[in-house]
Amino acid sequence: MSETSVMSNYYTETKAAVKLAGRKPSLNVREKGMAVTNDVIDRCEDSYLAAKDYHIRISKDYSDKGLIVMVCRHDNVIWFINMGPNGEKRYFMLAMMQKLLGELPESFTVGFFYDVICTMHREMEHWQLLPKCLPWLKFATPVFHAYGHQWPCQLSYHPYKNPEFGCTDGEGCEREWNLLNGIILTCRISGFHHRLFIINTKQAYIDKQNLLKLASWQKHQFEDATAKLEEAEAALDRLWIPLDKIKEAWAEQLSTQQAQPPLPEKDAGAKAIE
């Protein structure tokens, strides 16, 4: 799917909105709808190249910089976007979110994973991007990317600390890239249409294989979730601490570690010396 294809109807308007959102909100402030402050999110943003819209990681010799993909809970591809000469941009994700939510009833609650979801969530709240959709959405960062985030951010966006996501690890895109790994070298020396044909053909094969393995995949996921639940319940039984007390302690930890830090006082150093 090329950058000028059907998806362009969705991300041209979000591209303009994200460009408007280029100015960062004030530091040391917690935006409405956010659990962590802006200074924490800015430190997370500095850890990821994907959060920097100006950064292009692929040689300028290539007109297409790569693919961005949205996969479902079962690791099946929903959409590809072919990234053009400007490389990875945050408005690609917004475009796919808008496209997906337009296909779903408003009664649905939809969870989204993204490497730097804290930054995306802040921009959506601060600049009211897709405002009608915000009440539907839950956000998380994939488990293996979560450790690049600040601890207060992990408390909010790590999927294993968020009951809505269960045992989902959010790494479906990484598994998809692993399946497509074998065609990378061929695509690098292919023409534009030949490249898209190779990707589509390979993905059609992957989709067929995933469909054949769907029942065994669901069985494995159910057994894995059941085993984790039994292990967690056994650990709680060994603690001899009421579950209500554990929940209270967790809520207190969230409140303390995500608290908005006080603003620095003027001449604080001089006052300390005195």
Side-chain angles (χ1 to χ4, degrees), residues 48 54 57 77-79 81-82 86 131-132 145 170 173 180 185 196-197 250 269:
Y48 285 92
Y54 59 82
R57 286 179 280 181
V77 171
I78 301 175
W79 289 296
I81 288 183
N82 186 48
N86 293 325
K132 294 181 180 179
H145 293 78
C173 290
L180 292 176
L185 294 179
L196 295 184
F197 173 78
W250 175 245

Side-chain angles (χ1 to χ4, degrees), residues 96-104 110 112 133 136-137:
M96 290 194 290
M97 289 172 65
Q98 184 176 6
K99 171 67 173 174
L100 177 66
L101 295 172
E103 303 289 335
L104 300 175
V110 184
F112 280 101
C133 302
W136 311 9
L137 304 181

Side-chain angles (χ1 to χ4, degrees), residues 40 71 84 91 115 145 211 217 259:
V40 172
V71 301
Y91 60 76
D115 297 355
H145 293 78
L211 182 60
W217 181 90

Side-chain angles (χ1 to χ4, degrees), residues 72 101 119 139 182 193 221 227 249 271:
C72 71
L101 295 172
T119 302
F139 299 102
H193 296 288
Q221 295 295 318
K271 292 179 181 179

Side-chain angles (χ1 to χ4, degrees), residues 24-202:
K24 289 185 178 180
S26 302
L27 293 175
N28 209 35
V29 173
R30 182 185 288 114
E31 298 290 336
K32 181 181 178 181
M34 301 296 294
V36 293
T37 57
N38 286 331
D39 58 329
V40 172
I41 296 176
D42 287 341
R43 292 199 296 272
C44 295
E45 185 176 13
D46 291 339
S47 301
Y48 285 92
L49 294 178
K52 299 175 173 60
D53 272 352
Y54 59 82
H55 191 90
I56 299 176
R57 286 179 280 181
I58 305 297
S59 169
K60 294 181 180 179
D61 294 335
Y62 299 101
S63 60
D64 294 317
K65 303 303 179 183
L67 297 170
I68 188 167
V69 64
M70 174 180 282
V71 301
C72 71
R73 171 64 181 83
H74 309 94
D75 294 347
N76 291 312
V77 171
I78 301 175
W79 289 296
F80 278 120
I81 288 183
N82 186 48
M83 294 190 294
N86 293 325
E88 185 173 355
K89 300 292 181 181
R90 280 172 286 186
Y91 60 76
F92 286 123
M93 180 182 175
L94 281 171
M96 290 194 290
M97 289 172 65
Q98 184 176 6
K99 171 67 173 174
L100 177 66
L101 295 172
E103 303 289 335
L104 300 175
E106 295 186 8
S107 59
F108 276 32
T109 298
V110 184
F112 280 101
F113 286 85
Y114 187 54
D115 297 355
V116 280
I117 196 65
C118 54
T119 302
M120 181 65 69
H121 186 194
R122 176 179 65 177
E123 290 188 353
M124 293 179 71
E125 293 283 358
H126 185 82
W127 301 101
Q128 285 299 291
L129 306 176
L130 308 181
K132 294 181 180 179
C133 302
L134 280 172
W136 311 9
L137 304 181
K138 301 292 182 181
F139 299 102
T141 187
V143 290
F144 294 119
H145 293 78
Y147 302 105
H149 289 257
Q150 301 297 309
W151 176 246
C153 185
Q154 291 187 42
L155 292 175
S156 292
Y157 295 106
H158 195 297
Y160 292 170
K161 295 178 173 62
N162 196 325
E164 286 87 356
F165 290 96
C167 296
T168 304
D169 62 15
E171 295 290 353
C173 290
E174 300 301 326
R175 288 186 280 271
E176 173 65 20
W177 301 140
N178 181 60
L179 293 173
L180 292 176
N181 184 58
I183 64 173
I184 291 176
L185 294 179
T186 303
C187 287
R188 282 183 176 175
I189 59 174
S190 299
F192 176 78
H193 296 288
H194 189 196
R195 173 176 172 269
L196 295 184
F197 173 78
I198 293 172
I199 294 170
N200 287 334
T201 303
K202 177 67 173 179

